[in-house]
Amino acid sequence: MKKYSILSIFAAAAVGFGATSCDDYLDVNNNIDAPAYVDAYLYMPQVQNTFFNVYADGFYTQGLTQMTSHGGNFASHYYSKASDTGGGMWRMTYWSHGMNLENIINQSIDEKDYHMAGVGLILKALSWDYSTKYNGEMPLDDAFVPGLLKHDYDYQEYIYMKIRQWVKEGIAYLEMEDNSPLRPQLDDYDQVYGGDLEKWKKFGYAIIVRNLVSLTKKNDFKEKYYPELMDAASKSFTSIDDDAAIHVDGGGADAPGGASAYSNYYGVYRGNLTGTPHQYAVDIMTGMVLAVDEENNEYIEITDTNRLKEVGLFKYELEEKQIITDTLVHEVGHWDPRVVAKLETTYGSHVANFAEIDSIKAFKYHGGRYASAAYFNSGSDYFGATTARHGSGRWLYTNESPYILTTYAELMFNVAEAEWTVGNKSAAYAAWKTAVAADMEFTAKYLQPGSVNVINEKDRDGKYKDITFHVGDKITKAQFNAAAAEYLAGPFVGALPESEFSLSHIMMQKYVHLYPWGSQEAWVDMRKYHYDLVYTGEYPSFNNGWDKQNMYNKYNSDPTKVYKGFFLPYSQLTTSKVNEDNDGAPCYRVRPRYNSEYMWNLPGLKALKPISGTAVDYHCSIPWFAYPGEQPGAPTYDEVAE
């Protein structure tokens, strides 16, 4: 299969554009740089590669989900509407994809190039599924109508229905006989599956499952959505070989078109993934979720000197019951090897014996939480983005790492949650075990061989000297797989009694799997469970989950708390206050792109309910998928259909 970067579309198109009649070269009424017609397959690399916007906007959902320290004000659940920050997916859906995808679909249908049309429809469904979960209501029916100066918004229930409809139409086209002379071009220009139609159909069904699992808190989930979800799951991925990922060439400054076109957004060369993991992600992946003094609303600090020496840098007591792992790393089955792949450590990177697994298990991981609380006596952590210290990168953070769209592991976590929701605990337990095992395979797949790099730099005394660093992944696939087998058979997965199995096991293991590439879906989950806020009734509201002073999270002792150890930045455990525009509420959506909607489509925004799109707290408006019933003030799908 040939590979094409995001810029290949322009180079390929230029060749096609140059093949015009010599008689027409003086026709000033035709723009040769924007011709009226481009073969549908030439759009495909651009459309697929611009899904990098999911990673770009992931910086903000990583902050909102406490995966990393990225996100700025987004991580604090507030941001100004007068900015395009966080608007990548809106731009992707309406512009980068927009008419390019419409042309792929419509031209291919007209030319009976049905397989290309099917792929286009599935990509369209994926694009809109990402964006509506992120932004909420969107103009759909008015989106690409020529001549419109005002675009009315469609409500999310209707958009959800259209997404599944596009997938089903796409699969139907993939199953049709395709005799188009352009059919071989799909194999060459498809950066996901190289034209493998069976995998595209499975991917389509995975999108349906992902779409429907966001509705598990709906009152009618069991009757209305569960049967369709399980039917789609039965036709979807069967192993990690079916995972959907976009090929990335990688490369540096010498790559044609520059590194931005060829290197992964999280790669070392592009330097975007800097900063620290969030302390919450570190806590759950190292078994260091903190114990809380619930009466005094504070973490329990260790004051005994001998106890402090025993626990090392950490200075707070830990919860007795951890969900992912614990600190007994040298006991068989207790250490989760995913931590060394997914998180970075500066501890021992130039002194450790990487041939010994016990040396690797001894690594320490540090993250950042909020400025108002110091959780470690010392130490810092970073992903890093320098070639000298990191070579071409590691795991999913290399220049040539693919963009992950969805996986077999995610599918099985979704099945597990759906089964749990309808009361099929044993089926959920079995699907969950399959999902965790699949994540181990997924993680191992992208491990990069480590190497040694010597750099000359200043030490702490300001003197230059040669320092040896281990670059790339700090664990081999063989070491990882051996540790993974022990973990899967150990107390946190294989030996966990079904009687102790809980929703937290499903959702927190899914969170680890999605770290950090799938933060968009992790944010869907956290909003669906309303950030584990304490509230009565069907959903939280002012003075029922939050007030002007605090957001009130459930404590870990509450059996209904899904994300153990998770507390919002303005919870009862901090002294900080959320921006006054929030009226105390957490963020539930990202505003539409400023230069699109707030500059040109204010009437459409203003009409939205229950909170107007022009209101200062619109980003706190709860989306339809997170309401157990109907969204207040919004028309139902049946009303729209009439």
Side-chain angles (χ1 to χ4, degrees):
M1 179 178 71
K2 297 179 182 177
K3 299 296 182 184
Y4 296 87
S5 78
I6 190 171
L7 291 187
S8 297
I9 174 65
F10 303 118
V15 173
F17 304 160
T20 57
S21 169
C22 295
D23 294 338
D24 297 331
Y25 78 100
L26 289 178
D27 187 348
V28 296
N29 294 312
N30 288 324
N31 182 354
I32 62 171
D33 293 322
Y37 180 88
V38 177
D39 285 330
Y41 66 86
L42 290 172
Y43 293 105
M44 189 64 73
Q46 179 205 18
V47 165
Q48 292 184 346
N49 276 281
T50 49
F51 274 106
F52 84 86
N53 285 283
V54 177
Y55 274 35
D57 282 352
F59 275 21
Y60 311 108
T61 48
Q62 286 166 20
L64 285 160
T65 55
Q66 299 185 11
M67 284 188 170
T68 72
S69 62
H70 296 111
N73 286 338
F74 284 78
S76 298
H77 287 255
Y78 175 79
Y79 58 99
S80 171
K81 69 181 181 183
S83 171
D84 280 350
T85 302
M89 286 198 293
W90 188 276
R91 187 176 186 271
M92 173 188 77
T93 297
Y94 285 108
W95 189 78
S96 300
H97 292 173
M99 286 306 300
N100 294 320
L101 254 178
E102 297 302 300
N103 288 341
I104 287 177
I105 296 163
N106 296 330
Q107 290 176 199
S108 297
I109 293 172
D110 288 344
E111 295 165 0
K112 297 182 173 53
D113 190 3
Y114 297 127
H115 297 168
M116 189 77 69
V119 170
L121 280 159
I122 289 170
L123 290 171
K124 182 177 180 179
L126 178 66
S127 182
W128 281 82
D129 189 67
Y130 273 127
S131 291
T132 189
K133 290 173 177 175
Y134 185 69
N135 298 114
E137 282 65 58
M138 301 171 70
L140 190 155
D141 286 343
D142 286 357
F144 307 114
V145 179
L148 281 186
L149 298 179
K150 173 182 174 293
H151 297 78
D152 290 336
Y153 276 65
D154 291 287
Y155 282 84
Q156 195 171 68
E157 183 179 9
Y158 175 68
I159 297 172
Y160 264 50
M161 180 279 298
K162 294 293 288 186
I163 288 166
R164 299 196 299 278
Q165 178 182 311
W166 292 329
V167 170
K168 293 169 186 175
E169 290 174 0
I171 291 172
Y173 277 118
L174 293 177
E175 292 177 340
M176 293 174 67
E177 184 177 358
D178 188 339
N179 294 319
S180 168
L182 294 179
R183 173 61 185 84
Q185 302 295 351
L186 178 59
D187 297 356
D188 289 340
Y189 284 76
D190 171 17
Q191 307 298 289
V192 180
Y193 290 129
D196 188 325
L197 302 186
E198 290 305 311
K199 289 189 175 182
W200 272 107
K201 286 190 283 186
K202 291 180 181 181
F203 182 24
Y205 287 118
I207 294 170
I208 290 177
V209 172
R210 180 189 267 186
N211 178 267
L212 292 171
V213 81
S214 66
L215 307 179
T216 54
K217 294 298 288 181
K218 287 289 185 187
N219 295 329
D220 54 359
F221 173 77
K222 184 174 183 178
E223 298 77 22
K224 189 172 182 179
Y225 302 113
Y226 169 76
E228 184 180 356
L229 185 154
M230 294 305 296
D231 178 68
S234 71
K235 300 170 183 175
S236 188
F237 301 156
T238 56
S239 75
I240 70 165
D241 291 337
D242 295 327
D243 289 356
I246 298 170
H247 172 83
V248 175
D249 286 338
D254 57 341
S260 292
Y262 283 80
S263 289
N264 184 285
Y265 194 81
Y266 290 168
V268 172
Y269 190 86
R270 295 187 68 172
N272 289 316
L273 197 61
T274 58
T276 65
H278 194 282
Q279 191 60 49
Y280 176 68
V282 175
D283 287 350
I284 65 173
M285 283 194 248
T286 57
M288 301 182 80
V289 171
L290 304 181
V292 177
D293 178 346
E294 297 180 10
E295 183 177 349
N296 295 307
N297 292 324
E298 61 185 15
Y299 294 112
I300 303 172
E301 187 168 355
I302 301 171
T303 56
D304 180 79
T305 304
N306 291 328
R307 177 80 175 128
L308 275 173
K309 290 179 180 179
E310 177 186 337
V311 298
L313 290 175
F314 217 68
K315 63 176 184 178
Y316 290 91
E317 292 289 358
L318 306 179
E319 284 284 356
E320 181 178 356
K321 187 174 182 179
Q322 303 282 333
I323 298 296
I324 304 299
T325 187
D326 58 29
T327 58
L328 304 176
V329 298
H330 296 297
E331 292 193 17
V332 176
H334 285 250
W335 183 63
D336 182 349
R338 291 174 295 183
V339 66
V340 75
K342 301 192 178 195
L343 300 181
E344 175 65 293
T345 177
T346 60
Y347 179 84
S349 61
H350 60 281
V351 296
N353 179 2
F354 290 93
E356 296 294 333
I357 193 67
D358 284 346
S359 180
I360 296 171
K361 289 180 178 181
F363 290 162
K364 305 296 182 185
Y365 302 88
H366 309 294
R369 201 180 293 260
Y370 305 107
S372 60
Y375 292 84
F376 286 88
N377 290 327
S378 63
S380 62
D381 196 8
Y382 59 91
F383 288 100
T386 62
T387 303
R389 288 176 176 266
H390 294 81
S392 63
R394 61 183 185 81
W395 198 54
L396 290 179
Y397 318 130
T398 72
N399 296 329
E400 62 279 352
S401 295
Y403 292 121
I404 308 299
L405 298 177
T406 188
T407 66
Y408 173 57
E410 183 189 350
L411 175 82
M412 295 310 297
F413 281 121
N414 291 342
V415 169
E417 184 189 1
E419 295 284 27
W420 175 276
T421 300
V422 301
N424 297 337
K425 186 175 181 180
S426 294
Y429 181 61
W432 169 75
K433 285 187 174 182
T434 299
V436 179
D439 185 31
M440 289 296 177
E441 286 189 77
F442 167 83
T443 306
K445 179 178 179 178
Y446 296 106
L447 290 172
Q448 307 293 319
S451 61
V452 172
N453 194 19
V454 179
I455 62 175
N456 188 267
E457 66 177 22
K458 287 182 181 180
D459 61 15
R460 293 181 178 178
D461 298 324
K463 297 179 180 179
Y464 279 93
K465 66 178 183 180
D466 287 341
I467 301 177
T468 302
F469 285 90
H470 187 277
V471 300
D473 283 293
K474 295 177 173 63
I475 188 170
T476 66
K477 287 187 178 182
Q479 290 170 324
F480 181 93
N481 288 334
E486 292 178 347
Y487 176 80
L488 292 171
F492 292 95
V493 185
L496 179 77
E498 185 177 327
S499 59
E500 296 181 17
F501 175 61
S502 69
L503 182 61
S504 291
H505 288 93
I506 298 171
M507 303 312 297
M508 291 178 70
Q509 284 281 4
K510 181 183 178 184
Y511 178 97
V512 172
H513 171 59
L514 295 174
Y515 184 92
W517 61 271
S519 62
Q520 310 285 7
E521 285 300 304
W523 192 39
V524 171
D525 294 335
M526 285 191 166
R527 288 176 289 163
K528 180 175 60 181
Y529 291 105
H530 296 290
Y531 296 106
D532 279 323
L533 290 165
V534 178
Y535 63 93
T536 58
E538 290 197 318
Y539 52 89
S541 58
F542 186 74
N543 286 330
N544 183 25
W546 63 79
D547 55 31
K548 284 284 190 181
Q549 300 299 314
N550 290 111
M551 303 170 188
Y552 295 95
N553 279 115
K554 298 172 183 175
Y555 288 111
N556 296 332
S557 60
D558 188 329
T560 67
K561 184 178 177 73
V562 177
Y563 294 95
K564 306 298 186 183
F566 182 88
F567 289 92
L568 287 162
Y570 305 103
S571 71
Q572 61 268 36
L573 293 173
T574 69
T575 58
S576 302
K577 299 294 177 283
V578 70
N579 189 286
E580 62 181 10
D581 286 348
N582 285 43
D583 202 28
C587 177
Y588 270 93
R589 65 177 70 204
V590 175
R591 293 176 182 272
R593 187 169 181 262
Y594 178 77
N595 270 312
S596 166
E597 301 305 287
Y598 288 92
M599 292 292 289
W600 305 105
N601 199 30
L602 281 176
L605 274 171
K606 190 174 182 178
L608 290 174
K609 297 177 180 180
I611 299 177
S612 170
T614 58
V616 294
D617 61 341
Y618 177 62
H619 58 289
C620 300
S621 182
I622 299 174
W624 170 77
F625 73 74
Y627 281 105
E630 298 301 330
Q631 187 176 17
T636 65
Y637 168 65
D638 291 337
E639 291 171 337
V640 172
E642 291 176 1

